[in-house]
Amino acid sequence: MRKITLPERPDLAAKAEDAGFTFAHMHGEPYWDETSAYQFTLAQIETDLEDPATELHAMTRQAVDRIVGDQALMAKLGIPPAHFDLIADSWARNEPEVYGRMDLAYDGTGPAKLLEYNADTPTSLYESAAFQWQWLEDQLAAGVLPEGADQFNGIHEALVERFKELFDPNTDIHFSAMPDTPEDYATVESMAWAAREAGMGAHYTDLNKIAISKNKQFLDDQDRVIGTLFKLYPWEDMLADDFGKHVKDSGCLFIEPAWKAVVSNKGLLPVLWQMFEGHPNLLPAFFADDVAEALVAGGTPDPAVADAFGRVADQIRAAHVVKPIFSREGASISIVEGGDVTETSPNTDYDRHPRIVQAYHALPEFDGFRPVVGAWIVGHACAGIGMREDRSRITQDLSRFKPHFIAD
């Protein structure tokens, strides 16, 4: 794994405009940055990223099966008691999942470590699936990349096949996001593009224009009944507002399904550690309330987790990350080293939520930036990656997207 300086395409601005990539620059800085790219070997991709991410996804499904059968555990994950049955029934009915993005720490040498799994509303899909592939083709044609260079990017094709697998031809699917959010719209349109290619009918409607019929069905902005809805709206928010109380009786199939509320949730991380302690791609993680006393000199954790915590106590006390069970773009996350908070996100939007404690694992540093690998899961397998990098040790909303390529 190397970071290689490369010339930017001379017509980059025009290409971004033609593609509708309106957020290639944000907040006065480039979001898409192709002045350099990350180079991987094929072995690094296949052995260190693709296979482990696919295995981790299978492990998360085992964790879901455990969580939905334990109401106390669902409560720890912040699921409102009124919706316990909705989550459990969604899993029992095997409501289908389409996609998710695992954020991995990887430096090219050791096992990739799972930092978190956004399995409900991951963005950066367009950049990963489409624009970085265009970059690869253009830079190969220009002779900038070595002949035979490739990219781990079968995301779009995998999405097309997933829609074909799940739905009959001509099935109408609605796609929805909040208005005036270009990044969200790009993700939604990327999904709709794949659905159309798979032979589906794809209809967009703003989330805030969805209505409820007298028959308790969801309606789009043209009063059409919504039978299947891809919604870029987190389940934790939906279950907490008025929208959520109508889900159960709506007859609507949701993408992603309701059971993803316990996967796109940092409470998943301590459950995974409990079930697969010592797995090379996991970091030790615990619910903060379970180990609060243990993080104070002389304290003792809850007896149920005492043994597990004791095996990694020195590692956790030396450095750990405190994360809310719900958080986006690094918000409300802190790094604690030697008992002192050494870095924290300026965004405190998720401070109200319970927290987990996860062992700190340093991201590699290249030219003052720290990359995170976003491993895209489509169906049940890893289909590609996207790279984001940040100057901060906490990847936040001002991170940059970087293309990657494979060349041995």
Side-chain angles (χ1 to χ4, degrees):
M1 178 179 171
R2 303 163 59 199
K3 187 176 181 181
I4 309 296
T5 300
L6 295 170
E8 184 180 277
R9 288 172 289 176
D11 55 351
L12 171 60
K15 285 185 179 294
E17 183 177 359
D18 288 345
F21 192 1
T22 59
F23 53 99
H25 267 73
M26 293 191 294
H27 311 291
E29 291 194 18
Y31 165 63
W32 170 272
D33 181 4
E34 60 181 58
T35 59
S36 57
Y38 285 93
Q39 177 182 343
F40 296 86
T41 67
L42 184 60
Q44 287 173 330
I45 291 292
E46 292 182 341
T47 304
D48 293 349
L49 297 174
E50 181 180 10
D51 290 347
T54 298
E55 181 182 0
L56 285 167
H57 178 73
M59 290 159 56
T60 66
R61 290 182 61 86
Q62 293 181 57
V64 174
D65 201 50
R66 175 174 176 178
I67 293 166
V68 299
D70 185 338
Q71 292 191 352
L73 201 46
M74 281 212 276
K76 275 192 171 185
L77 269 70
I79 305 301
H83 296 298
F84 284 173
D85 288 345
L86 174 69
I87 303 300
D89 290 348
S90 172
W91 176 251
R93 290 195 302 271
N94 195 29
E95 290 187 340
E97 58 181 320
V98 173
Y99 84 139
R101 191 196 71 228
M102 291 183 177
D103 287 345
L104 306 172
Y106 179 65
D107 64 5
T109 57
K113 300 292 187 180
L114 177 65
L115 300 176
E116 59 188 61
Y117 189 8
N118 188 339
D120 183 18
T121 60
T123 55
S124 76
L125 179 63
Y126 168 73
E127 306 92 288
S128 299
F131 204 72
Q132 72 163 340
W133 184 259
Q134 183 190 72
W135 167 87
L136 178 78
E137 292 183 326
D138 288 347
Q139 297 294 50
L140 280 170
V144 171
L145 294 176
E147 185 177 352
D150 201 353
Q151 189 176 93
F152 181 33
N153 188 0
I155 303 167
H156 174 73
E157 293 79 8
L159 286 170
V160 172
E161 292 306 310
R162 185 61 173 163
F163 278 112
K164 288 181 179 179
E165 178 184 350
L166 296 178
F167 301 105
D168 293 331
N170 299 315
T171 298
D172 282 329
I173 303 176
H174 281 77
F175 295 83
S176 191
M178 293 301 292
D180 303 319
T181 52
E183 185 177 4
D184 287 3
Y185 183 76
T187 296
V188 168
E189 181 53 35
S190 294
M191 294 293 288
W193 173 28
R196 292 186 194 102
E197 194 169 318
M200 308 299 132
H203 313 286
Y204 176 81
T205 186
D206 288 336
L207 268 169
N208 60 353
K209 293 180 180 177
I210 294 177
I212 307 294
S213 76
K214 293 179 180 179
N215 295 324
K216 300 182 180 180
Q217 295 174 301
F218 292 119
L219 305 175
D220 68 8
D221 53 0
Q222 299 180 41
D223 290 333
R224 293 175 296 193
V225 172
I226 300 175
T228 301
L229 175 64
F230 174 86
K231 46 84 199 158
L232 207 65
Y233 185 49
W235 273 107
E236 68 265 23
D237 291 341
M238 188 185 305
L239 297 181
D241 66 22
D242 288 340
F243 196 87
K245 66 185 180 184
H246 299 288
V247 169
K248 185 177 180 180
D249 297 324
S250 67
C252 181
L253 178 67
F254 285 86
I255 306 171
E256 295 296 302
W259 61 262
K260 281 290 190 83
V262 304
V263 183
S264 189
N265 181 316
K266 293 175 184 62
L268 172 74
L269 300 170
V271 176
L272 284 172
W273 186 253
Q274 291 168 15
M275 296 178 67
F276 306 100
E277 181 179 343
H279 190 283
N281 298 116
L282 294 177
L283 293 168
F286 300 86
F287 290 102
D289 288 346
D290 287 348
V291 297
E293 291 298 321
L295 294 174
V296 179
T300 303
D302 184 290
V305 295
D307 289 344
F309 184 84
R311 287 187 285 272
V312 293
D314 290 344
Q315 180 183 1
I316 295 284
R317 289 194 181 105
H320 61 268
V321 183
V322 181
K323 301 179 176 182
I325 57 173
F326 302 120
S327 174
R328 298 291 191 281
E329 297 180 328
S332 299
I333 290 175
S334 298
I335 298 173
V336 179
E337 297 172 287
D340 296 322
V341 176
T342 55
E343 190 163 346
T344 189
S345 168
N347 184 333
T348 59
D349 287 351
Y350 295 87
D351 278 3
R352 67 190 182 277
H353 296 296
R355 285 165 162 71
I356 67 144
V357 171
Q358 182 185 49
Y360 175 67
H361 185 85
L363 297 172
E365 185 173 347
F366 296 87
D367 302 326
F369 286 87
R370 297 171 173 87
V372 169
V373 179
W376 289 95
I377 304 295
V378 179
H380 302 299
C382 185
I385 63 170
M387 302 290 296
R388 291 173 299 142
E389 62 176 21
D390 202 304
R391 294 183 179 92
S392 169
R393 290 189 291 170
I394 302 172
T395 306
Q396 300 174 61
D397 58 350
L398 294 180
S399 62
R400 297 183 177 189
F401 191 98
K402 305 291 293 188
H404 80 277
F405 66 99
I406 303 169
D408 289 325

